Amino acid sequence: MYVHPTCKVHPAVSLAFAAARSFGLVIACDGGRPIGSSLPFRLVEAHGKMPRLEFHVARGNPLGQLAEKGGTWLVAVHGHDAYVSPDWYASPDQVPTWLYETVHLSGPVRVVPGDHAPTHLDQLSAHFESWLAPKPAWGPDRVSEPRRAMLTQAIIVIEMTVETIEGNFKLNQHKSDVDHVAVATALAQQRDPSAQAISRRMIALKPHLAYGASLADDTSGEKSPARAATIAEPAMAGS
């Protein structure tokens, strides 16, 4: 992934972003033909070891057969994005652009033994159910044993060791402060929740600028852990 130096994100922040999203586009290559599926995943980090992604596919998914062969795969994790009109800048002679947050993780994959499937499903459901607290967490024990056995036999669990981490938070970092404020203000006024979220991210990136009381006070609003990484101030490489 091409990343402009001003938009580069520290690997630790990129991993936190991916963990908070826990959903991405998994991409493999079969004889030069790309194959992808949008999948939920669980990021596993252990001290002294490389991080791993755990996810699963239906047995009919071509990714399952490809995983048997190994190889290096890519998982693209996207956050909010928004179009920016040239009319919103304070400076003249501007062009349209798109602001966004994305993280790419890549590394070798392997198929996890089938007897690990029940544990994988338990851990994955517990991960996402925790987002819904204080709702009592749903548990796999609510599913009958025959149905649970059928479901675990119908999937292939895949593990990817994360060897490469690339983060790109494109938030107009190279623009002047006056243009930064102007675009953040315009995005905050759009009906699109994603545009509003990008505005909050821009304000968090440069909180010292004069945005006006209404904008400066409205830097929250996304409470789900799935969105936590899109609220926190990004740590660019070298910062």
Side-chain angles (χ1 to χ4, degrees), residues 80 88 138 143 164 166 175 187 199 213 222 224 228:
H80 293 292
W88 295 345
W138 175 90
V143 180
T164 303
E166 298 176 300
K175 296 294 185 179
L187 286 172
S199 171
E222 295 171 295
S224 168

Side-chain angles (χ1 to χ4, degrees), residues 88-210:
W88 295 345
Y89 290 95
S91 303
D93 203 25
Q94 301 293 326
V95 295
T97 193
W98 208 281
L99 304 185
Y100 56 86
E101 298 171 309
T102 188
V103 167
H104 286 185
L105 307 175
S106 61
V109 299
R110 72 179 186 93
V111 172
V112 176
D115 58 3
H116 181 71
T119 301
H120 162 74
L121 292 176
D122 289 354
Q123 293 172 334
L124 192 65
S125 61
H127 174 65
F128 291 116
E129 282 289 316
S130 70
W131 292 3
L132 305 180
K135 181 190 87 68
W138 175 90
D141 56 347
R142 299 190 190 180
V143 180
S144 66
E145 284 295 334
R147 177 162 173 75
R148 189 176 182 190
M150 179 192 70
L151 292 173
T152 55
Q153 292 170 7
I155 66 172
I156 297 174
V157 182
I158 302 171
E159 178 183 276
M160 185 182 87
T161 300
V162 180
E163 292 186 341
T164 303
I165 304 169
E166 298 176 300
N168 187 1
F169 289 0
K170 185 173 179 287
L171 300 170
N172 263 356
Q173 291 93 331
H174 63 295
K175 296 294 185 179
S176 67
D177 287 351
V178 66
D179 284 328
H180 189 93
V181 170
V183 170
T185 300
L187 286 172
Q189 296 170 350
Q190 305 309 302
R191 295 181 179 179
D192 179 15
S194 194
Q196 296 171 11
I198 289 292
S199 171
R200 291 192 292 270
R201 296 291 287 109
M202 294 179 69
I203 294 171
L205 181 63
K206 295 185 177 182
H208 59 285
L209 300 181

Side-chain angles (χ1 to χ4, degrees), residues 213-233:
S214 60
L215 286 184
D217 293 340
D218 185 24
T219 55
S220 60
E222 295 171 295
K223 304 303 183 183
S224 168
R227 305 301 185 208
T230 64
I231 302 172
E233 181 177 356

Side-chain angles (χ1 to χ4, degrees), residues 23-26 36-40 56 61 63:
F23 187 81
L25 177 61
V26 179
S37 288
S38 295
L39 301 170
H56 64 269
N61 191 319
L63 288 176

